[in-house]
Amino acid sequence: MELLNGFKNPFRSQYKRWVFLVGLVAISHLLFQSFLLPYGNALRSLLLPGIDGSIEGNYGNVVSRVRSGSKSVVVRNTLTINGSDFSTRDVILFTGGNGGGDVGISSRKIGDWVEKGVSKAIFDGNVDDDYASENGEDLNENAVLEEVIRDQDNYVNATSRIEQVAKHGREVSTGELRDVNTTSQYPALSSMANPTPNAGSSFRSTSLQSDHTVSKSNSLMVVKQGKKKMRCEMPPKTVTTIDEMNRILLRHRRSSRAMRPRRSSIRDQEIFAAKSRIENGPVITNDQDLYAPVFRNVSLFKRSYELMERILKVYVYKDGKKPIFHLPILKGLYASEGWFMKLMQGNKHFVVKDPRRAHLFYMPFSSRMLEYTLYVRNSHNRTNLRQFLKDYTETISAKYPYFNRTDGADHFLVACHDWAPYETRHHMEHCIKALCNADVTAGFKIGRDVSLPETYVRSARNPLRDLGGKPASQRHILAFYAGSMHGYLRPILLKHWKDKDADMRILGPMPPGVASKMNYIQHMKSTKYCICPKGYEVNSPRVVESIFYECVPVIISDNFVPPFFEVLDWGAFSIIVAEKDIPNLKDILTSIPQERYLALQLGVRKVQRHFLWHAKPERYDLFHMTLHSIWYNRVYQIKLR
């Protein structure tokens, strides 16, 4: 018996040690797995730099960089529809040997959520907007996209931390990039909250290593303290008057600076021949379709338009993935680029499948979706947006022979976002750009580029809702403006005229809601002159809104090239006032004789048809006017050897 007990005691002792060892290994494994699961990709990229978690797709490596010295913050703006469609494993954080991180989304997942409902949400436009039509970051426009892309708050919470850290000029290590919000869908983005600075003004890693600080070669640097005043917050240094713009247009028509193609094609010869046919066409004295006073030369316009209908063929590139490409936004502040994209891609008269038959080539991207998809909120850095389009341009240049043949002179884009001039600079410099932000001081080329009307569409299903206004005899308000204080100019307008004169109804922001929206619309329908001051940039949707509600637009925006400047005579249906003349605004308006006002208001009603979107395009409507101006400018800039 004693022998048996002696045998059991050492066995029990070894058994306990064995159980303890197994338990310790199990607990360690569980703890390690609980850390590793959300951050497997990040850890693998640190331990195995060769495995970088590459993003699928041609444009997956585009990132946003906020530079500070030799290092940079690298973060991707992420999109999702809902938690069930987008798992946390699709968002990955990886760092390289030179520091920085990259948050990315699988292009396969993007394709999935686009097919699952983004297109329907944007096309149907089920979200109702308030009245306000603003430049810059428009809240109502964001509301439209919030219906399309949900859960953006998680992204904002994550990226806002970068901005807070940036204000203190500190650096944050890769180990800090976790555990901001345990409920966030984005574990890699959830890492920006509650950092604890150490004595060296850097944040110690508490997740990857408990007693070892991540080396500075793998740290994220942020911009130093100090906010530079942006260009849109200051008056322009130089002013180009409307008379000077007219002289520039005439000079451009006489001597085009367009580059000659490296090799001429039969399509170039057809366009070149069209110029002679336009200029030598019959003179029109009376046309039932067109109101001559609103045109610079109605004969030239009509002949050019008819030749466009007869000759022009356009090739639409199929390259590029949704949501930046081929996904039109039909509602809100940037609807112009979306409506043109939709109608152009669905057009059977102008569009050809064989690029060899094309006179012009359309690059169908959305500048609004580019900003919404890639821009890091509050980073004030748009380099990655421009790089994305540069990569796209290089892709089609390598794949097709057409861009390089003319350096893009027979290619065109249609973009309404304020940043489009910057995003398309250099790599699309010779392309024809239809831009809402038509600013001569920001690279807009009169005679080549097209000033695109900025249209605020409230109903995608019925873009003509609320069209029209009261006759001139029933418009008893002299001038009206209401809206937010974007930019430097609008506060000046309110300073001089808000609550100063009963005839000048110059207001600030109106409260949200249907009642305010209808009040805003009724004011425009009942006003003689609708004030259209610039916002952050030179363009304003109020110019087209005024025409929509048959109110004479008063454009206050130095260096702004009015829409379709190459063919329309804006003096026949609008008033253009220099920014410096805001204190004299009432005197300018009251000095206009009644006969002159009636002629202006008639011009507004007659030109209105050229600023309307239709589900099925009509002759001389906004779709055809935009395409015509692109064609017209190409006709007058083409050169042959």
Side-chain angles (χ1 to χ4, degrees):
M1 193 67 178
E2 293 178 358
L3 181 62
L4 180 61
N5 289 336
F7 177 79
K8 288 182 178 180
N9 286 337
F11 176 80
R12 288 175 180 173
S13 177
Q14 293 177 3
Y15 177 78
K16 289 180 180 179
R17 285 196 295 269
W18 181 80
V19 170
F20 176 78
L21 182 61
V22 170
L24 182 62
V25 171
I27 292 173
S28 300
H29 178 73
L30 291 174
L31 290 174
F32 183 75
Q33 287 288 4
S34 66
F35 162 72
L36 179 62
L37 280 176
Y39 305 102
N41 289 322
L43 188 59
R44 280 196 297 272
S45 66
L46 288 173
L47 299 179
L48 301 172
I51 303 176
D52 60 3
S54 300
I55 309 300
E56 299 173 8
N58 294 332
Y59 314 111
N61 293 324
V62 181
V63 294
S64 174
R65 299 181 181 272
V66 182
R67 298 192 179 277
S68 176
S70 61
K71 302 182 181 180
S72 61
V73 172
V74 187
V75 180
R76 183 188 300 279
N77 183 349
T78 60
L79 302 175
T80 183
I81 291 299
N82 54 51
S84 63
D85 291 341
F86 196 102
S87 67
T88 56
R89 294 184 182 180
D90 287 280
V91 181
I92 58 175
L93 171 69
F94 60 92
T95 59
N98 61 347
D102 187 7
V103 180
I105 303 176
S106 164
S107 62
R108 175 180 54 81
K109 278 292 180 182
I110 291 180
D112 289 346
W113 60 253
V114 166
E115 296 301 327
K116 288 181 180 179
V118 175
S119 297
K120 183 178 186 302
I122 292 181
F123 273 91
D124 291 350
N126 293 324
V127 181
D128 195 17
D129 297 317
D130 292 330
Y131 72 92
S133 314
E134 301 298 341
N135 293 352
E137 188 165 342
D138 183 82
L139 297 179
N140 296 315
E141 175 65 21
N142 284 340
V144 175
L145 291 179
E146 292 295 343
E147 178 72 7
V148 179
I149 304 168
R150 305 179 192 277
D151 299 330
Q152 187 71 359
D153 289 341
N154 291 327
Y155 158 70
V156 174
N157 291 336
T159 55
S160 64
R161 185 58 199 165
I162 294 179
E163 183 70 9
Q164 295 174 12
V165 175
K167 290 180 180 178
H168 295 86
R170 294 169 176 169
E171 66 179 54
V172 54
S173 66
T174 54
E176 297 293 323
L177 298 181
R178 74 183 192 93
D179 295 336
V180 171
N181 184 354
T182 58
T183 62
S184 173
Q185 294 187 51
Y186 314 109
L189 281 175
S190 305
S191 56
M192 305 298 177
N194 302 323
T196 304
N198 62 12
S201 298
S202 63
F203 301 125
R204 184 173 300 277
S205 171
T206 59
S207 57
L208 295 180
Q209 303 176 17
S210 59
D211 59 351
H212 179 71
T213 303
V214 176
S215 65
K216 289 186 178 181
S217 63
N218 285 327
S219 65
L220 301 178
M221 299 297 293
V222 297
V223 264
K224 295 183 178 180
Q225 185 177 8
K227 182 180 179 182
K228 182 180 178 181
K229 200 167 185 179
M230 292 187 293
R231 178 179 178 272
C232 62
E233 299 174 331
M234 301 179 291
K237 296 180 179 179
T238 60
V239 176
T240 303
T241 66
I242 196 72
D243 291 334
E244 291 172 326
M245 292 180 189
N246 287 324
R247 288 193 289 270
I248 293 172
L249 179 63
L250 293 175
R251 186 166 63 249
H252 183 93
R253 289 289 182 256
R254 287 194 297 265
S255 58
S256 173
R257 297 181 180 179
M259 188 202 77
R260 290 180 173 86
R262 290 184 173 86
R263 59 184 183 280
S264 179
S265 72
I266 188 173
R267 309 307 166 199
D268 295 330
Q269 295 170 11
E270 290 173 350
I271 293 183
F272 187 77
K275 178 180 178 181
S276 176
R277 297 172 66 182
I278 291 171
E279 294 179 339
N280 297 320
V283 176
I284 298 175
T285 56
N286 186 17
D287 188 274
Q288 295 181 350
D289 290 335
L290 300 171
Y291 184 63
V294 301
F295 290 92
R296 291 178 176 272
N297 187 319
V298 70
S299 300
L300 289 179
F301 171 77
K302 187 173 179 64
R303 187 61 176 163
S304 174
Y305 188 93
E306 290 174 345
L307 286 172
M308 177 192 74
E309 289 183 312
R310 189 183 312 166
I311 297 174
L312 179 62
K313 298 301 176 185
V314 177
Y315 179 75
V316 180
Y317 282 108
K318 303 298 188 296
D319 304 78
K321 297 181 180 180
K322 296 179 180 179
I324 296 175
F325 297 89
H326 312 292
L327 186 63
I329 299 174
L330 304 181
K331 186 179 178 182
L333 185 61
Y334 306 98
S336 287
E337 67 179 24
W339 275 93
F340 183 89
M341 182 190 298
K342 174 182 181 292
L343 298 176
M344 188 77 258
Q345 292 188 140
N347 191 280
K348 295 181 180 179
H349 178 77
F350 294 109
V351 175
V352 292
K353 296 181 179 180
D354 184 355
R356 292 172 297 181
R357 296 179 55 202
H359 303 91
L360 292 170
F361 298 80
Y362 173 42
M363 298 177 287
F365 69 90
S366 166
S367 61
R368 173 51 169 153
M369 289 308 298
L370 177 68
E371 176 263 339
Y372 196 84
T373 305
L374 297 182
Y375 178 65
V376 178
R377 187 77 61 87
N378 297 323
S379 69
H380 307 299
N381 189 298
R382 299 165 290 171
T383 305
N384 62 321
L385 281 68
R386 186 170 68 178
Q387 181 64 38
F388 184 91
L389 292 182
K390 181 176 183 292
D391 293 343
Y392 166 74
T393 305
E394 291 174 350
T395 297
I396 63 174
S397 298
K399 186 175 180 180
Y400 305 94
Y402 309 105
F403 191 95
N404 292 332
R405 189 181 69 85
T406 62
D407 275 359
D410 54 357
H411 286 56
F412 71 92
L413 59 96
V414 178
C416 202
H417 197 277
D418 289 348
W419 297 348
Y422 169 83
E423 295 162 355
T424 58
R425 192 180 302 168
H426 304 312
H427 49 280
M428 295 181 177
E429 186 58 33
H430 298 290
C431 299
I432 301 172
K433 305 174 186 179
L435 304 171
C436 289
N437 187 6
D439 185 348
V440 293
T441 65
F444 185 92
K445 297 294 189 297
I446 297 175
R448 184 200 67 188
D449 297 333
V450 174
S451 179
L452 179 69
E454 185 173 18
T455 56
Y456 191 86
V457 177
R458 292 184 169 83
S459 172
R461 292 174 179 171
N462 181 18
L464 303 183
R465 189 176 71 183
D466 300 323
L467 177 67
K470 295 181 179 180
S473 60
Q474 298 179 23
R475 293 178 176 264
H476 304 300
I477 305 172
L478 177 64
F480 168 69
Y481 168 80
S484 299
M485 296 294 98
H486 291 155
Y488 66 87
L489 186 66
R490 296 180 185 182
I492 296 175
L493 177 67
L494 263 67
K495 175 185 176 182
H496 285 281
W497 294 109
K498 187 176 186 296
D499 300 327
K500 300 293 178 64
D501 193 305
D503 293 331
M504 304 286 288
R505 296 197 185 177
I506 309 299
L507 312 174
M510 297 180 73
V514 176
S516 287
K517 178 177 69 174
M518 296 310 299
N519 187 25
Y520 176 85
I521 292 174
Q522 289 306 314
H523 267 79
M524 297 198 84
K525 288 176 175 283
S526 306
T527 300
K528 291 183 176 180
Y529 299 99
C530 290
I531 311 302
C532 307
K534 66 180 291 184
Y536 285 131
E537 302 295 345
V538 294
N539 47 304
S540 169
R542 284 175 180 79
V543 176
V544 177
E545 275 187 331
S546 301
I547 297 173
F548 196 83
Y549 300 123
E550 299 175 2
C551 176
V552 177
V554 179
I555 302 173
I556 309 178
S557 179
D558 290 348
N559 300 315
F560 175 53
V561 182
F564 308 138
F565 183 70
E566 55 281 328
V567 295
L568 294 182
D569 179 9
W570 279 80
F573 55 93
S574 72
I575 302 295
I576 298 177
V577 176
E579 294 177 10
K580 64 181 179 61
D581 291 331
I582 284 179
N584 305 319
L585 186 56
K586 184 178 180 180
D587 291 339
I588 292 172
L589 298 180
T590 55
S591 66
I592 299 173
Q594 179 67 8
E595 295 78 11
R596 170 66 176 154
Y597 164 71
L598 293 176
L600 289 169
Q601 211 264 341
L602 175 62
V604 169
R605 297 202 310 272
K606 294 294 187 179
V607 82
Q608 183 186 75
R609 63 182 299 196
H610 306 304
F611 290 87
L612 303 179
W613 294 112
H614 299 90
K616 294 182 179 180
E618 300 179 2
R619 291 194 83 195
Y620 305 117
D621 69 356
L622 187 44
F623 168 73
H624 285 102
M625 290 292 291
T626 303
L627 186 60
H628 172 266
S629 283
I630 294 168
W631 147 269
Y632 191 70
N633 285 353
R634 177 58 180 160
V635 167
Y636 273 90
Q637 72 170 352
I638 193 169
K639 286 184 177 181
L640 299 180
R641 293 191 182 276

